[in-house]
Amino acid sequence: MTPHRSVPWPSWLRRGANNAKISSSILLGTILFLISVLSRGPYQLDILFFALAGLLLIATMARVPLDYLITKMLVALPFVVLLGLSNIILIREPVPGGPDWLTLGMVSCATLLGKSCLSLGVVTVLMAVTPEEGLLAAGRSLHLPGLLLLQLQLILRYIGVLVEEAEKMYHAYLLKNPRATMIAFKDMG
């Protein structure tokens, strides 16, 4: 199955895309970035600015368009905002040494938003510059569990099938309802 890429691959990656060492380095860097971002506490917002600068540097070096990266990073925003609002509502303690209006819930919400956007961003860069075969080869060379790699392979293989079927169903719905611009909520499910 040929992957549909909307991001051009850098020439250094195109030459070595099948090279397990390069793919392993990219995968290992992504894992380390995720660990360093996600291991921070709920109130450690300062380190996320450096992580954002690092992500933008990596994306620029990999020639991933920033508008593409930002749209992929904002996919989970509605869900994360709802979780963050619960932090704002439930944690009303003021920040020690901060202004009276700033609460720990607000800081926790901002940290949650930052962590989710950074995590999605680095995974987007990984998937944009590494072909599926290279990703699986990197997992094998890093001795990831075979069951995890098999699951990843099945997911990557069948995402295209699921998208095709969803497009067919959407097209069929629009043919049956020519005045509709999208599927009505009552017809879902």
Side-chain angles (χ1 to χ4, degrees), residues 25 76 114 129 149:
S25 300
V129 300
L149 293 174

Side-chain angles (χ1 to χ4, degrees), residues 87-150:
N87 283 351
I88 292 173
I89 292 169
L90 296 175
I91 306 172
R92 294 180 178 251
E93 301 170 29
V95 173
D100 294 337
W101 56 268
L102 186 64
T103 65
L104 289 175
M106 292 177 186
V107 175
S108 176
C109 176
T111 305
L112 185 64
L113 285 169
K115 285 181 178 182
S116 65
C117 286
L118 288 170
S119 300
L120 284 172
V122 75
V123 171
T124 299
V125 171
L126 170 72
M127 294 305 291
V129 300
T130 310
E132 286 98 6
E133 302 85 27
L135 194 61
L136 294 169
R140 277 188 227 96
S141 70
L142 291 175
H143 304 290
L144 292 178
L147 191 58
L148 177 68
L149 293 174
L150 179 66

Side-chain angles (χ1 to χ4, degrees), residues 4-180:
H4 298 286
R5 301 271 184 222
S6 59
V7 177
W9 291 351
S11 59
W12 59 269
L13 189 60
R14 255 185 270 133
R15 285 192 303 268
N18 294 327
N19 188 348
K21 288 182 182 179
I22 292 176
S23 298
S24 297
S25 300
I26 294 170
L27 181 62
L28 189 61
T30 301
I31 291 170
L32 291 175
F33 186 89
L34 285 172
I35 289 172
S36 67
V37 166
L38 297 177
S39 66
R40 301 295 166 192
Y43 308 116
Q44 293 179 330
L45 189 59
D46 54 347
I47 195 70
L48 297 182
F49 293 112
F50 294 110
L52 178 63
L55 176 64
L56 293 176
L57 178 68
I58 292 167
T60 305
M61 289 174 55
R63 296 186 188 144
V64 176
L66 291 182
D67 57 341
Y68 174 79
L69 181 65
I70 290 171
T71 56
K72 296 298 180 186
M73 287 170 59
L74 297 179
V75 166
L77 192 62
F79 306 107
V80 178
V81 166
L82 287 176
L83 289 173
L85 286 176
S86 67
N87 283 351
I88 292 173
I89 292 169
L90 296 175
I91 306 172
R92 294 180 178 251
E93 301 170 29
V95 173
D100 294 337
W101 56 268
L102 186 64
T103 65
L104 289 175
M106 292 177 186
V107 175
S108 176
C109 176
T111 305
L112 185 64
L113 285 169
K115 285 181 178 182
S116 65
C117 286
L118 288 170
S119 300
L120 284 172
V122 75
V123 171
T124 299
V125 171
L126 170 72
M127 294 305 291
V129 300
T130 310
E132 286 98 6
E133 302 85 27
L135 194 61
L136 294 169
R140 277 188 227 96
S141 70
L142 291 175
H143 304 290
L144 292 178
L147 191 58
L148 177 68
L149 293 174
L150 179 66
Q151 187 71 34
L152 181 63
Q153 184 178 12
L154 289 172
I155 288 170
L156 291 173
R157 180 178 295 166
Y158 290 110
I159 281 179
V161 174
L162 289 173
V163 168
E164 275 182 30
E165 288 301 314
E167 286 175 355
K168 287 178 186 176
M169 291 188 311
Y170 179 70
H171 186 68
Y173 180 84
L174 291 180
L175 287 175
K176 290 179 181 178
N177 301 306
R179 292 184 188 162

